[in-house]
Amino acid sequence: MDVTTPANDPWLVVGLGNPGPEYAMNRHNVGFMVVDLLAQRIGGKFKRAGKAQAQVLEGRIGPAGPGNRRVILAKPMSYMNLSGGPVNALKDFYKVPVANIVAVHDELDIDYGTLRLKLGGGDNGHNGLKSMTKAMGAEYHRVRFGIGRPPGRMQVADFVLKDFSSAERKELDYFVDRAADAVEALVIEGLERAQGTYNS
């Protein structure tokens, strides 16, 4: 179901991850990768956001004229399990309705590279979502990027904090590009149309 908000309300697109170069290519940081690509498309650079512990970039996506949307791209710098505080602060500062927030995050229960778009729901053990939901409720959008389950007896915490494998990296750019397309479609066209195109 689509939640309708005024077309002039801004959108807040949050990539979930951990700050620091040692985490940059971790599976848990795919949300950062997607918003970094969106920033490249907009043509701007992230900057530190005032009191919110996050990096932000303001811009517009979509066709020129009334069809485009104002977006704030954000990367919380608080570490994954404390993401809710910075996101809530940005929501209040930019006056973004909760229904106009999109969390882009890794998802264990989906095959690698598969996308699922949804509104609301549980956190499925994801600490970033858990923190966001605690801070502002669950009725925000999610773009879930499948990373698959850990092999053998590897612990989930070890798996998500490891870099994508060399085999996975061969397709990673394509999948990140597709996830960025999905975010743009969600913001411009609405959830149902974006799900029809990208939920595979």
Side-chain angles (χ1 to χ4, degrees):
M1 184 175 93
D2 275 325
V3 173
T4 305
T5 57
N8 57 350
D9 278 342
W11 284 76
L12 175 60
V13 178
V14 181
L16 293 180
N18 288 306
E22 67 270 35
Y23 299 107
M25 290 304 295
N26 286 182
R27 294 182 177 92
H28 224 17
N29 269 45
V30 75
F32 276 17
M33 297 174 198
V34 174
V35 295
D36 280 340
L37 179 56
L38 288 166
Q40 285 179 33
R41 292 179 179 184
I42 288 172
K45 284 190 164 39
F46 282 97
K47 65 177 193 291
R48 198 79 185 197
K51 294 180 181 176
Q53 204 176 351
Q55 290 185 352
V56 297
L57 169 63
E58 295 181 67
R60 301 191 82 86
I61 60 173
N68 71 15
R69 297 285 182 267
R70 180 181 168 221
V71 295
I72 299 100
L73 304 178
K75 296 190 291 185
M77 295 286 112
S78 56
Y79 290 97
M80 182 70 84
N81 61 349
L82 298 172
S83 300
V87 176
N88 201 41
L90 293 171
K91 169 184 76 73
D92 292 346
F93 180 78
Y94 289 104
K95 299 179 171 55
V96 180
V98 173
N100 276 25
I101 296 173
V102 182
V104 186
H105 64 92
D106 57 305
E107 178 63 61
L108 286 159
D109 286 337
I110 304 175
D111 289 341
Y112 173 59
T114 300
L115 297 176
R116 292 278 190 279
L117 283 64
K118 64 183 283 194
L119 173 67
D123 56 58
N124 202 22
H126 192 289
N127 288 330
L129 298 181
K130 196 176 295 184
S131 180
M132 284 181 62
T133 297
K134 185 177 178 185
M136 60 191 188
E139 291 306 301
Y140 53 90
H141 288 86
R142 297 103 189 274
V143 173
R144 305 158 72 202
F145 186 110
I147 60 170
R149 302 294 303 187
R153 297 186 178 187
M154 185 186 291
Q155 294 296 309
V156 165
D158 294 333
F159 179 69
V160 299
L161 291 175
K162 277 194 169 18
D163 289 357
F164 284 101
S165 70
S166 55
E168 289 169 334
R169 283 201 294 273
K170 289 175 183 171
E171 295 182 290
L172 183 59
D173 287 348
Y174 168 76
F175 289 140
V176 168
D177 191 68
R178 191 165 182 271
D181 290 346
V183 171
E184 291 182 346
L186 170 59
V187 170
I188 296 162
E189 301 172 15
L191 178 62
E192 288 185 15
R193 288 189 66 179
Q195 284 176 323
T197 304
Y198 293 99
N199 277 20
S200 48

